[in-house]
Amino acid sequence: MSDISQARLTPTTRAGSRKVFIKTYGCQMNVYDSQRMGDALANGGYVATETMEDADLILLNTCHIREKAAEKIYSELGRIRDMKAERALEGRDMRVAVAGCVAQAEGEEIIARAPVVDLVIGPQTYHRLPEALARVDKGERVIETDYAVEDKFEHLPRAAKKDIRARGVTAFLTVQEGCDKFCTFCVVPYTRGAEVSRPFAQILDEARQLAEAGVREVTLLGQNVNAWHGKDPTGKSIGLGGLLFALAEIPGLKRLRYTTSHPRDMDDALIAAHRDLPALMPYLHLPVQSGSDAILKAMNRRHSAADYLRLIDRIRTARSDIALSGDFIVGFPGESEADFEATMQLVSDVDYASAFSFKYSARPGTPGAALSDHVSEAVKSERLARLQALLRRQQQAFSESLVGQSLSVLIEKPGRRPGQIVGRSPYLQPVVMRQGVGAIGDIVTVEIANSVANSLIAEGAMHLEPTGMVA
Ligand code: SAH
Ligand code: SF4
Ligand code: F3S
């Protein structure tokens, strides 16, 4: 990539040597989408660059989930405008495209507010990216945000083996997109559209291709991944549990994960997969958002706190060593101190290994934004601090409970210091190990000596002789 000379970056450059810089915000699905857009652009002759200043095309893949996430995009576009102006003085051109959930939600507004933007493209139309860029080349400003009728995954090109390898031994694979749940705080049903499951055969094919290129761990993605449903080759209707059983048969795929799940869609077959599939990692992200039944109802989560706790019991009965993670929102409209205490109580009852927590952010067009009784920023901040302190204590206690235990670790990459190598525990924690325990892509069993910040340190890893080698 770095062997493309400066001279070939001028606007007169042939399409065959243009450079694209892709910046990804938001969830893992955006990471996956950025890779697939990168694949589509590679097919059209673009090469990836790691530096924005170098790029002939800047592609921002955006997130709309909270106000801050969306506003970040406009400040980034301000910086890009200045960069583009500087480049214009040098006689060089640069295209700017905005993809993702902000593109879908605010397409017209982006075009009006940010003249620097040449193309706005929503998540359902990424397969049309090369064609849309061709229109931009002809001088058009393009907005492509219709929900496409054709299957975008069918039309997006596959990644080249060398690109899969370059991305490492773990990979994301989107199996389901969109959401029909309409939680009253959430923009996803509007930005990603209705729930759609990719067909069984398409998923199996892509997973096989990943495994053949050296991928050892696949994380299945969906906004509501456990709502995935399809038909197996015999025509039998199956859910995510059935899909996981089929994926576990693929040679080379040693570890499986999935995210994000809704408590209402954790069915018996999926719980059975946790019991019966060694490849399915004992780590589950199962957001609950609040521990108060009144708030859960106002959020339209369609389950109670007790339903959630019963579900956790069933999952733990099936797989006793499972570690749990969750998402929480504090300060949803109408949340009283007692409602918040109910959330703290639920967190204490569940005992999370890790979690994400956020202040409620009113999103235009969602039912939550229209509610009265909004909670003040000061109260939200104070509650978030209390919740995060509790969650941090739980996370630390979980990490410390692993010290002295043997864990299986998938080796992912060289460490930051010479002589170190880093992998992931079954619970997604980075594990720092001594180089030589195995090669990248190997799964090794190591004893945990220590836990530091968010990482685990394997026995021997910190007592290294200086090797003079650069890892
Ligand atoms: N599909 C997933 C998560 C979607 S968004 C699920 O159903 O859980 C990821 C997380 O962002 C959510 O779980 C929620 O905790 C948070 N979130 C979503 N909308 C939000 C909003 N308006 N304000 C604050 N946090 C929000
Ligand atoms: Fe948003 Fe709720 Fe759907 Fe999750 S389940 S994506 S929080 S609407
Ligand atoms: Fe953000 Fe869209 Fe993902 S709003 S969290 S990028 S689905």
Side-chain angles (χ1 to χ4, degrees):
M1 286 171 211
S2 53
D3 60 353
I4 306 289
S5 69
Q6 278 296 104
R8 295 171 71 194
L9 290 172
T10 59
T12 51
T13 305
R14 288 175 301 113
S17 59
R18 291 195 212 178
K19 287 187 176 185
V20 56
F21 174 83
I22 305 182
K23 185 160 181 178
T24 308
Y25 302 80
C27 62
Q28 290 108 324
M29 193 166 289
N30 266 9
V31 175
Y32 176 83
D33 286 346
S34 288
Q35 292 172 350
R36 298 301 301 266
M37 284 191 275
D39 298 337
L41 291 168
N43 252 22
Y46 279 88
V47 291
T49 172
E50 300 289 313
T51 38
M52 201 184 258
E53 288 75 10
D54 258 10
D56 300 287
L57 169 65
I58 294 177
L59 175 58
L60 303 181
N61 193 6
T62 64
C63 174
H64 201 244
I65 202 80
R66 283 167 291 274
E67 192 180 348
K68 266 198 195 134
E71 277 308 315
K72 249 190 226 165
I73 304 309
Y74 291 101
S75 47
E76 185 77 327
L77 287 172
R79 278 194 294 277
I80 292 172
R81 179 195 54 211
D82 297 344
M83 196 188 298
K84 185 167 172 159
E86 273 172 37
R87 286 188 58 147
L89 291 177
E90 297 163 14
R92 294 156 71 200
D93 199 7
M94 174 194 263
R95 306 264 187 252
V96 180
V98 179
C101 291
V102 181
Q104 188 63 44
E106 301 183 2
E108 299 284 349
E109 193 184 334
I110 294 170
I111 290 286
R113 256 178 89 173
V116 71
V117 173
D118 300 294
L119 166 66
V120 168
I121 186 158
Q124 281 74 26
T125 46
Y126 291 155
H127 54 296
R128 297 186 190 156
L129 181 60
E131 178 197 319
L133 282 170
R135 281 165 59 200
V136 170
D137 278 339
K138 289 189 194 134
E140 258 184 84
R141 290 182 87 198
V142 177
I143 305 190
E144 186 75 85
T145 50
D146 290 345
Y147 291 116
V149 280
E150 67 274 15
D151 175 358
K152 89 170 160 198
F153 294 109
E154 200 64 74
H155 290 80
L156 275 166
R158 286 170 159 235
K161 201 167 185 169
K162 69 168 179 27
D163 291 330
I164 299 176
R165 278 188 199 284
R167 287 169 193 159
V169 294
T170 64
F172 292 133
L173 201 177
T174 292
V175 301
Q176 178 280 333
E177 200 166 359
C179 183
D180 294 342
K181 291 278 190 289
F182 290 94
C183 302
T184 53
F185 51 82
C186 185
V187 292
V188 171
Y190 312 96
T191 62
R192 293 281 176 163
E195 258 174 42
V196 178
S197 294
R198 287 179 73 186
F200 179 90
Q202 213 185 70
I203 296 165
L204 269 274
D205 249 25
E206 192 169 324
R208 272 189 212 105
Q209 191 208 3
L210 291 171
E212 279 160 19
V215 168
R216 295 291 161 258
E217 173 180 302
V218 166
T219 302
L220 306 182
L221 299 181
Q223 267 89 23
N224 197 5
V225 70
N226 56 349
W228 182 90
H229 56 93
K231 288 203 160 53
D232 74 5
T234 68
K236 190 175 136 213
S237 291
I238 55 168
L240 189 68
L243 179 64
L244 285 162
F245 273 96
L247 289 167
E249 299 290 317
I250 295 177
L253 273 195
K254 304 243 171 68
R255 286 179 158 194
L256 296 169
R257 304 178 185 275
Y258 62 93
T259 198
T260 296
S261 296
H262 192 287
R264 294 258 310 190
D265 294 316
M266 285 302 298
D267 65 11
D268 290 342
L270 187 50
I271 296 175
H274 279 285
R275 185 192 58 210
D276 299 336
L277 280 180
L280 183 55
M281 290 296 97
Y283 179 84
L284 176 63
H285 184 61
L286 194 61
V288 63
Q289 316 297 353
S290 168
S292 150
D293 287 343
I295 296 297
L296 286 169
K297 190 161 195 297
M299 286 176 163
N300 191 33
R301 291 291 291 185
R302 293 187 288 155
H303 62 76
S304 64
D307 293 335
Y308 181 81
L309 292 172
R310 265 194 300 274
L311 175 60
I312 300 286
D313 273 350
R314 281 170 56 216
I315 297 166
R316 281 186 164 145
T317 305
R319 179 86 204 220
S320 59
D321 63 341
I322 201 155
L324 288 155
S325 148
D327 288 343
F328 297 89
I329 295 177
V330 300
F332 186 79
E335 185 187 75
S336 66
E337 184 58 27
D339 291 321
F340 174 69
E341 283 301 335
T343 300
M344 295 289 278
Q345 185 59 51
L346 179 139
V347 170
S348 299
D349 291 344
V350 173
D351 197 5
Y352 287 92
S354 98
F356 302 91
S357 45
F358 314 95
K359 286 192 257 183
Y360 171 70
S361 166
R363 307 306 290 128
T366 60
L371 293 174
S372 52
D373 216 4
H374 281 262
V375 175
S376 74
E377 275 306 303
V379 170
K380 282 187 207 172
S381 300
E382 186 265 334
R383 287 182 187 162
L384 186 67
R386 274 154 69 199
L387 176 62
Q388 290 188 335
L390 174 60
L391 290 167
R392 213 170 17 248
R393 280 201 300 279
Q394 293 190 342
Q395 181 166 355
Q396 263 167 13
F398 176 68
S399 291
E400 278 158 20
S401 75
L402 299 172
V403 173
Q405 287 197 31
S406 289
L407 289 186
S408 84
V409 178
L410 170 60
I411 303 179
E412 288 185 5
K413 57 186 179 200
R416 253 180 287 161
R417 295 201 201 151
Q420 292 182 344
I421 199 154
V422 178
R424 292 251 173 207
S425 78
Y427 315 111
L428 275 183
Q429 299 131 309
V431 182
V432 181
M433 295 166 293
R434 188 194 313 119
Q435 214 170 36
V437 289
I440 289 173
D442 286 351
I443 294 180
V444 292
T445 302
V446 295
E447 190 172 319
I448 303 304
N450 207 348
S451 91
V452 181
N454 294 323
S455 300
L456 300 175
I457 314 295
E459 193 62 59
M462 295 307 274
H463 312 289
L464 298 165
E465 294 301 317
T467 59
M469 277 166 45
V470 178

